[in-house]
Amino acid sequence: MQSRKRPVREVRAREVKVAREPILPRIRALNWYLISGFSFFVMVLGMLGYGGYRLHQLLNDAEALPIEALVINGERVYTSEDEIRNAMQALMESSFFSADVTEVQQAIEALPWVYKASVRRVWPARIKVFLQEQKAEARWNGMDWVNEHGEVFGAPPQPDLDRLPKLSGPETKAAEVLTAYRQIAELLKINGFGLESLSLSPRHAWIAVLDNGITLELGREDKMARVQRFINVYPTLKQQSKVVSRVDLRYDTGLAVGWDETKQESR
């Protein structure tokens, strides 16, 4: 019985001994592999960081990548090229890639007669600007302008725009006054009259002045019907020896006439 147990013990001892021998070399190899891989990773990160830094310097170097040409498109009447260049001065001092086109767009749109503008880069070294000027429809409150969209904007006066109608009213009512002007002017035009100015009082009463100097007080309601009433009765008024100065139409059916005593109707 004893002779049979001894060989089993020897085999077990050998098996344990064989299993423990490879552990240390494997750990050393693994540590070296990790250190090498980490070192290589750090080196790559460093190279990428340095490359990015150098690229950033290059892209922001106005001498290395300058803006060589400025192209301005769009119909311009009241906006000079000098005004545009002054608005773009900061951009022209930047490199082609570092120029903030959004900021320059806002600077150009801030010019008095510019309605909208777009600025974009064109490879390899051009900046293209397209702008749309304001289209003034009328004077507003004696100082500003109203564009075709009923928006108020401030800009210097222009001699060739003196013929435009004069509108006035509360600051927030420009679009409403412009719409009313178009409606009344069209009705008057087809009947041989011209509308020179239209105003809306703080109490929302309408007053129109024709190009022949007659003032129409239209009140707050039914302004179109009251204009038509004036058109209907004007042939009778014109037959009088006096010149009509003012017509008060703020009545349901009638009207009141103010005469210009200093003038006589020419016949």
Side-chain angles (χ1 to χ4, degrees), residues 11 17 59 67 85 102 106 117 122 129 151-153 156 163 172 180-181 185 187 200 230 259 267:
V11 171
K17 186 177 181 180
L59 295 180
I67 298 172
R85 290 188 178 277
T102 301
Q106 294 172 350
V122 179
V129 178
E151 300 167 343
V152 178
F153 67 96
R163 57 180 177 77
T172 60
Y181 169 81
L187 177 59
L200 179 65
F230 163 78
W259 306 96
R267 299 185 182 281

Side-chain angles (χ1 to χ4, degrees), residues 180-188 195 198 218 223-224 227:
Y181 169 81
R182 289 169 174 169
Q183 295 171 345
I184 296 174
E186 183 64 23
L187 177 59
L188 289 169
L195 181 58
L198 181 67
L218 303 174
K223 58 182 179 294
M224 299 302 293
V227 171

